[in-house]
Amino acid sequence: MVALSFLIWLPLIFGVFAWISENKFKSSGNWITLISLSGLLIFSIYLGINGTSSLSWEWFARFNIHFALLFDGLALLLVILTIALAMLAVLVSWNDIEKHRGFFHFNLMFSVAGIIGVFLAADLFLFFLFWEVMLLPMTALILIWGHEGRRYAALKFFIFTQVSSLLMLVAIIALALYHQDQTGELSFNLGQLQQLVIPENMQFWLMLGFFIAFAVKLPMVPFHSWLPDAHTQAPTAGSVLLAGILLKTGAYGLIRIVLPLFPSATMEFAPVAVTLGVISIIYGALMAYSQTDFKRLVAYSSISHMGFVLLALFSWHEVALQGAILTIVAHGISSAALFSMAGLIQHRIHSRELGKMGGMWASAPKMATVTLIFVMAGIGMPGMANFNGELFTLLGSYQQFPVQTIVASLGIVLSAVYGLHLFQRAFQGPPNVDVVDLHMRELVFTSLLVVALIYFGLQPHIVLDLSSETISSLMQIAGEAHP
């Protein structure tokens, strides 16, 4: 299905168009990017309505590398999330970018193309290519349009991701060579590589190469230290993409590659991975409470929330896997929403420090109300999307790892502590500063985020239906590995 490749090429084409247009007509880049993303969203939904589709072109025949794409329910879900949050990134930074505006829109769309490529790739070499492609424009977003410590943050982000990516590349090459030994030809195709018979000791080391790369992006303690710096120094649009989408590529890699390719190794490694997930949950929550910077607090909360995803995935339980995917979607929306509010406040008072806020409810009641809703979503209030993900995660994980799950549940209590602490410091108490309330454009996109969080909170079956095929496949693989 040739049209499937347009999901990758169109963002690049429109990104170049927005770059050229912005250099000639000021502010045209905003409209071109927003309209093209809207069209891309409609196009992806249209492709999704037609059901699972795939594409495979011979690329490097000598090495049996194909431009192979797979568009199933899980990919559709994450592609829609990517495009929707990219639209949010444009809206929230509408008036923030003052230099190289055209190049900013190009990098934004370049990031979207790379991320969508990661979600669609059915060939490991192609997956690695898109994994590297999405790194470059995101580094540029931090380095060029970031804040005071942007150079250090961009370099740290690049080094962490690049080093871990090299481990993944080694594992990919080793898998292709194993396929050659067993069948007589190289292969990077995910479906074909699942049929390999790999010795258990080697399976563990190959799994570890992928796991570290994805754990860095997730991020998981102890590979997390790049995230708070990157989030804090990135422009608001960069923070929205990082928290809402880029972290999810790590979780997606675990679901699409690590679990199906190495079921036995992941089951043996599960106690370690689950323990690291629980440590991430508690550590992220405690660090979030200790922060005085709005964006840094939300960044550490992301480490805590993504720990639930790691816990769920390595529990190898159907309900837990459902919880992981629900959490991926819910956290993508709620964290992007909180970073948007942090950006709107910083644009008004030119500071992220909670000590310079306080009492803003008096002058900005609309901003305070939507922020409170986003905080409630983040701490898992029933009726909001995050609640379903955490509930399913804990219910499923408890069946396999009861002690670790009980400890992990403390993270929900701690999230309420740091979430309400954030809101109290910023919006309650004596007024320290008067701020302009939400404008119409800001009120529209924040209201849509509120609707999304409530809608997916009340209708989680939409997410579960789209991901059911992937979860069923994983459970079948688990049954074959350990009947």
Side-chain angles (χ1 to χ4, degrees):
M1 188 176 181
V2 177
L4 189 55
S5 65
F6 292 166
L7 287 174
I8 298 170
W9 305 125
L10 287 178
L12 289 173
I13 294 170
F14 283 114
V16 173
F17 183 44
W19 184 5
I20 296 172
S21 177
E22 180 66 37
N23 291 337
K24 294 183 178 180
F25 307 101
K26 188 176 181 181
S27 297
S28 62
N30 285 334
W31 289 106
I32 292 172
T33 304
L34 186 61
I35 293 171
S36 61
L37 286 170
S38 301
L40 199 64
L41 181 63
I42 296 171
F43 180 59
S44 64
I45 294 173
Y46 167 76
L47 292 178
I49 291 174
N50 293 330
T52 300
S53 57
S54 60
L55 166 70
S56 183
W57 294 335
E58 190 173 74
W59 191 11
F60 292 120
R62 181 176 179 180
F63 300 104
N64 199 24
I65 296 173
H66 290 72
F67 188 87
L69 306 178
L70 175 65
F71 193 55
D72 60 2
L74 179 60
L76 170 64
L77 189 65
L78 293 174
V79 167
I80 290 176
L81 180 67
T82 300
I83 299 170
L85 293 185
M87 294 170 67
L88 173 63
V90 175
L91 289 169
V92 78
S93 59
W94 196 267
N95 298 316
D96 285 1
I97 305 302
E98 298 178 353
K99 62 179 182 179
H100 310 303
R101 294 166 62 96
F103 191 50
F104 168 81
H105 289 290
F106 170 74
N107 278 278
L108 180 67
M109 296 297 276
F110 195 0
S111 296
V112 170
I115 294 167
I116 291 177
V118 166
F119 292 145
L120 296 184
D123 181 283
L124 280 185
F125 184 87
L126 187 65
F127 180 91
F128 177 79
L129 176 65
F130 284 124
W131 187 267
E132 293 295 291
V133 164
M134 70 179 182
L135 168 65
L136 299 175
M138 185 54 63
T139 303
L141 286 174
I142 300 171
L143 183 63
I144 300 174
W145 295 279
H147 303 301
E148 60 279 356
R150 60 185 182 274
R151 291 179 179 83
Y152 171 77
L155 182 62
K156 193 172 184 180
F157 167 69
F158 185 86
I159 290 174
F160 266 76
T161 305
Q162 191 64 31
V163 171
S164 62
S165 297
L166 291 176
L167 294 177
M168 178 168 64
L169 178 60
V170 171
I172 290 172
I173 295 172
L175 277 174
L177 293 174
Y178 261 107
H179 191 277
Q180 186 180 42
D181 288 341
Q182 295 183 18
T183 66
E185 66 175 2
L186 290 168
S187 178
F188 295 87
N189 183 275
L190 266 172
Q192 294 176 1
L193 292 176
Q194 285 185 33
Q195 310 304 318
L196 289 178
V197 178
I198 305 173
E200 289 192 7
N201 61 334
M202 183 54 65
Q203 189 178 136
F204 172 81
W205 291 110
L206 293 175
M207 180 276 297
L208 198 61
F210 285 102
F211 176 80
I212 292 175
F214 299 142
V216 168
K217 193 65 65 114
L218 201 60
M220 177 199 75
V221 176
F223 307 113
H224 68 285
S225 63
W226 65 268
L227 182 70
D229 293 316
H231 269 315
T232 304
Q233 302 303 328
T236 305
S239 295
V240 168
L241 292 178
L242 272 170
I245 308 172
L246 243 72
L247 305 191
K248 311 309 177 287
T249 60
Y252 179 81
L254 293 173
I255 296 170
R256 188 69 89 190
I257 297 175
V258 173
L259 297 184
L261 285 185
F262 314 106
S264 298
T266 54
M267 290 176 185
E268 293 178 7
F269 186 66
V272 176
V274 165
T275 301
L276 290 173
V278 173
I279 292 172
S280 298
I281 292 169
I282 304 301
Y283 174 82
L286 292 174
M287 289 299 294
Y289 179 74
S290 68
Q291 302 305 307
T292 60
D293 184 299
F294 194 130
K295 291 180 73 174
R296 203 170 183 87
L297 187 153
V298 181
Y300 274 109
S301 74
S302 294
I303 296 172
S304 181
H305 285 295
M306 297 311 290
F308 281 100
V309 174
L310 193 64
L311 167 65
L313 293 179
F314 278 83
S315 293
W316 275 102
H317 190 279
E318 184 173 3
V319 175
L321 293 173
Q322 292 174 335
I325 294 176
L326 286 169
T327 301
I328 287 170
V329 175
H331 178 264
I333 301 171
S334 62
S335 64
L338 283 172
F339 276 114
S340 297
M341 300 314 299
L344 294 178
I345 294 172
Q346 183 177 3
H347 183 68
R348 284 162 166 79
I349 69 173
H350 307 291
S351 176
R352 301 182 302 270
E353 286 296 319
L354 296 175
K356 295 184 179 180
M357 303 177 194
M360 291 194 297
W361 192 305
S363 57
K366 297 174 185 176
M367 180 185 292
T369 301
V370 294
T371 304
L372 180 59
I373 294 173
F374 297 151
V375 168
M376 291 295 102
I379 67 179
M381 189 178 80
M384 309 290 276
N386 300 63
F387 171 77
N388 298 320
E390 293 173 352
L391 177 64
F392 278 50
T393 294
L394 294 177
L395 287 175
S397 300
Y398 184 80
Q399 308 302 316
Q400 307 292 339
F401 299 98
V403 175
Q404 290 93 327
T405 303
I406 291 172
V407 177
S409 65
L410 296 176
I412 299 177
V413 179
L414 293 173
S415 71
V417 174
Y418 67 69
L420 295 176
H421 173 71
L422 165 67
F423 184 78
Q424 188 274 330
R425 291 284 304 275
F427 289 97
Q428 296 183 316
N432 287 338
V433 61
D434 288 335
V435 298
V436 178
D437 210 347
L438 296 177
H439 303 305
M440 181 55 66
R441 169 179 54 83
E442 298 165 341
L443 188 60
V444 168
F445 70 71
T446 52
S447 298
L448 289 174
L449 289 168
V450 170
V451 170
L453 288 168
I454 296 175
Y455 181 75
F456 286 114
L458 300 177
Q459 302 289 335
H461 67 88
I462 296 174
V463 176
L464 297 178
D465 289 345
L466 287 172
S467 59
S468 61
E469 183 181 347
T470 300
I471 293 174
S472 298
S473 176
L474 287 176
M475 296 312 300
Q476 181 180 352
I477 290 171
E480 293 172 355
H482 288 279

